[in-house]
Amino acid sequence: MTKLTPEMLAFAAERYRRLRLVECFDPNNLDAKATEAQSELFQEFGKVRKQWIVAGNQSGKSQSCSRLVAWMLAENHPSWKRPKEWNQEPLFLLVCGRTGKQLEDSLIPRICSYLPESDIKVVRVGNMVQRIEHVNGNRMVFQSLENANLARERVQSYVAHLVWVDEMPSSSSLIDELQTRLYSKSGYFLASFTPLVFNPDIRKMVDNAKLPDSKVYRFKMFDNPLYSSEDKRREVIAAYSHLSETALNCRLYGEWMEPESSVWSIDRDRMVEAPLNYHPSWRHLEASDPAVSSKFGLTIWAEDPVSSTWYCIRDDYIEGISAPDDIVAEVKRRTDGINLVRRVCDPHETWYLGQASKAKLSYLCPKKDGRKDELIKQLQTALSSGRIKLAPWCTRLLNELERAHWSDSDSNRTYIVGGSKLHLADTAQYAVDLLPPASKEPVNQTWHEMLRRADHAIKEQKAKLKQGQRVNRKRWLVR
């Protein structure tokens, strides 16, 4: 009888683990089993070209898609085989996350955990993972969707065999662009998200999903074995007790948020835009929502001297500072180096106004008493009319505006769920209420600036024409 050496035992253990990794649902728990809905997703992969996973929080949607893309990269899916028309060409997989941090901290480690280290090479550019190369020649590239316009430009050069979008992107046009990357190869599309933000165009895409081309899969939070006990479920329900019924059903069951409960209607395609030719010499406004025990909200707005549009170019939470004089010093530091013409803040925080006065910072304060509805409507009007726009990197403010909703139990709509935590949304209301009047000074533009603005306006209007929107022909003119 052959004596087993430590090397032989180690080889056998590694071999066993590799075999289990091919079959397992969770590499951190090899005995974990996929739910019925997840198994259906796996079995129909490749048969259904577009798979939409609309799910509750913590329902295993990202885990399931990580399992699928790892199988495809290694080409060891239990039932799927590459189509004959792909021949032996290396596969190209594109994985898109909401932010670079989400990709780096969550999705990439999860995908790599399915793949033996000896089989892959992780390629970094700077501190960020750019792609994973498999020993079989297949590649997986990662793309952040935080800046939708930049992401759209970058993905236009790709031809992919699979695209996975984790979390809902900012616009349906970005999904269109990603799906276009698949057409020449008849590739596969995966999208996984909890629909916390109401986006009618993306919802229309999902609602129109029909076999054999596309299908919607519903994952529920409580289908996750982690929440199998009644005690755990009661704990979750208690933690979500402050939510409206609509928001609760969204988080638990993946049901869509309804627009009727939204405080503000946000159309990212029209309201989110990077300022063209931004310069610190533009007129700026600082808007603050002071706090000591909670987050301090701070936004900075810049006025385009040509169009007179005000852009939110910075949205910050100031945390971990308790001394009032230190808070004022931090605000001053974050507003250095720009042409700041006005500071505005909540009039009820007299402690901050007093400390700021000592530091020779002068603030204007909006009249808030009895004007709650007016301030909310003013912000909506400014966004809808284009008087203000939000830079695409101001994701914190965008999230607050999109997720703010009225309580379902409040028939008069006077109670915003979690309204005391919407510090950045409050600063936006203060900013709009106290925006300086448009400057009457003439603006000198270089010939190159005029051409660039004209080209930008033409592209913007062509995009609207393509989407069937009304076009303001005057914006074609160079101002």
Side-chain angles (χ1 to χ4, degrees):
M1 181 177 180
T2 304
K3 183 179 179 180
L4 296 177
T5 65
E7 290 77 11
M8 295 171 67
L9 291 172
F11 177 82
E14 177 60 22
R15 175 65 177 166
Y16 176 75
R17 177 169 174 76
R18 288 175 70 100
L19 291 173
R20 292 298 304 272
L21 282 177
V22 173
E23 303 171 349
C24 74
F25 173 69
D26 183 355
N28 297 312
N29 180 6
L30 294 175
D31 295 323
K33 302 295 183 183
T35 65
E36 184 177 341
Q38 290 163 344
S39 296
E40 183 181 17
L41 176 76
F42 296 159
Q43 293 164 6
E44 295 180 350
F45 177 69
K47 301 173 185 176
V48 179
R49 295 280 178 184
K50 299 175 184 177
Q51 295 179 297
W52 301 86
I53 301 95
V54 184
N57 289 143
Q58 299 291 307
S59 58
K61 57 185 182 299
S62 296
Q63 187 77 47
S64 300
C65 291
S66 296
R67 172 68 280 185
L68 276 176
V69 298
W71 265 330
M72 187 169 176
L73 183 70
E75 294 198 63
N76 56 8
H77 189 286
S79 58
W80 172 83
K81 302 297 179 186
R82 69 160 59 207
K84 292 182 179 179
E85 57 267 28
W86 290 356
N87 299 313
Q88 296 303 311
E89 66 186 56
L91 301 184
F92 183 93
L93 286 63
L94 179 60
V95 174
C96 303
R98 184 167 51 86
T99 65
K101 184 173 177 59
Q102 179 210 18
L103 285 166
E104 190 76 19
D105 295 346
S106 178
L107 299 188
I108 294 173
R110 189 172 290 170
I111 294 168
C112 288
S113 65
Y114 288 103
L115 305 165
E117 292 184 12
S118 59
D119 289 358
I120 59 173
K121 176 183 178 183
V122 178
V123 180
R124 292 181 174 271
V125 175
N127 294 324
M128 301 296 293
V129 175
Q130 184 187 52
R131 65 183 184 275
I132 295 175
E133 298 175 352
H134 199 276
V135 291
N136 61 15
N138 297 338
R139 292 182 300 150
M140 182 182 296
V141 172
F142 301 95
Q143 176 62 54
S144 164
L145 302 182
E146 188 169 7
N147 185 329
N149 292 329
L150 181 60
R152 187 180 292 107
E153 291 178 6
R154 288 180 174 174
V155 304
Q156 284 175 351
S157 62
Y158 296 144
V159 175
H161 298 86
L162 176 141
V163 170
W164 170 29
V165 181
D166 188 61
E167 300 299 346
M168 187 187 295
S170 60
S171 69
S172 60
S173 62
L174 187 51
I175 292 182
D176 289 334
E177 187 61 57
L178 290 168
Q179 291 184 347
T180 300
R181 306 301 102 210
L182 300 166
Y183 291 156
S184 65
K185 299 292 183 183
S186 297
Y188 309 129
F189 178 78
L190 289 171
S192 55
F193 55 81
T194 299
L196 290 167
V197 176
F198 180 78
N199 186 310
D201 295 327
I202 294 179
R203 180 169 183 175
K204 186 177 181 180
M205 284 182 172
V206 175
D207 289 346
N208 287 337
K210 290 180 175 59
L211 289 172
D213 180 63
S214 57
K215 182 176 177 178
V216 180
Y217 302 79
R218 298 282 181 178
F219 294 179
K220 301 174 183 178
M221 185 178 189
F222 289 158
D223 286 344
N224 189 329
L226 291 174
Y227 303 102
S228 58
S229 71
E230 288 298 322
D231 288 343
K232 194 67 176 177
R233 295 187 181 194
R234 279 195 293 269
E235 181 182 335
V236 171
I237 295 296
Y240 286 160
S241 61
H242 65 288
L243 296 179
S244 66
E245 183 178 353
T246 300
L248 180 64
N249 289 335
C250 178
R251 291 189 180 277
L252 294 182
Y253 311 116
E255 295 184 6
W256 289 89
M257 289 287 283
E258 296 299 329
E260 290 79 9
S261 65
S262 300
V263 179
W264 291 283
S265 176
I266 304 299
D267 182 343
R268 289 202 179 202
D269 288 335
R270 292 191 301 112
M271 300 174 184
V272 178
E273 180 181 287
L276 196 63
N277 298 325
Y278 167 77
H279 195 273
S281 64
W282 289 8
R283 295 200 305 170
H284 290 72
L285 177 145
E286 171 226 315
S288 291
D289 186 40
V292 174
S293 58
S294 60
K295 293 179 180 179
F296 183 117
L298 172 71
T299 54
I300 297 177
W301 304 74
E303 181 193 32
D304 184 328
V306 177
S307 66
S308 297
T309 300
W310 285 84
Y311 291 84
C312 182
I313 61 169
R314 185 165 183 173
D315 58 341
D316 285 346
Y317 295 125
I318 299 177
E319 302 177 81
I321 304 176
S322 55
D325 56 337
D326 290 339
I327 294 176
V328 171
E330 181 62 17
V331 171
K332 190 173 182 180
R333 185 188 69 79
R334 298 193 189 194
T335 55
D336 278 347
I338 57 176
N339 177 25
L340 195 64
V341 298
R342 181 167 293 182
R343 298 180 189 267
V344 302
C345 80
D346 187 342
H348 295 161
E349 304 298 336
T350 55
W351 64 268
Y352 178 78
L353 291 171
Q355 196 64 46
S357 180
K358 292 180 181 178
K360 298 184 179 179
L361 301 185
S362 178
Y363 280 87
L364 293 180
C365 298
K367 295 179 180 179
K368 291 179 58 180
D369 294 341
R371 296 185 65 222
K372 179 179 179 179
D373 289 346
E374 182 183 350
L375 292 173
I376 290 173
K377 290 176 181 177
Q378 279 186 170
L379 176 55
Q380 181 68 64
T381 300
L383 285 164
S384 300
S385 67
R387 187 186 181 198
I388 66 170
K389 291 183 181 290
L390 312 178
W393 53 84
C394 291
T395 55
R396 299 180 187 89
L397 174 56
L398 273 168
N399 287 336
E400 284 196 11
L401 294 175
E402 288 178 329
R403 298 182 185 218
H405 60 277
W406 300 105
S407 170
D408 287 349
S409 61
D410 183 3
S411 58
N412 295 321
R413 292 200 167 185
T414 58
Y415 173 57
I416 299 175
V417 177
S420 62
K421 298 180 180 179
L422 301 178
H423 302 292
L424 298 177
D426 285 342
T427 69
Q429 295 174 70
Y430 307 155
V432 168
D433 194 51
L434 294 171
L435 281 177
S439 176
K440 296 181 180 180
E441 296 181 5
V443 178
N444 294 321
Q445 295 186 80
T446 66
W447 174 243
H448 292 92
E449 287 175 336
M450 294 174 66
L451 287 176
R452 186 176 178 185
R453 286 182 180 275
D455 181 63
H456 178 76
I458 291 172
K459 287 181 178 178
E460 184 181 68
Q461 302 308 320
K462 284 183 176 179
K464 289 183 178 180
L465 284 172
K466 186 177 180 181
Q467 296 172 10
Q469 298 180 18
R470 294 181 63 186
V471 172
N472 182 358
R473 296 288 179 181
K474 293 181 179 179
R475 292 198 61 188
W476 290 65
L477 302 176
V478 180
R479 296 183 60 181

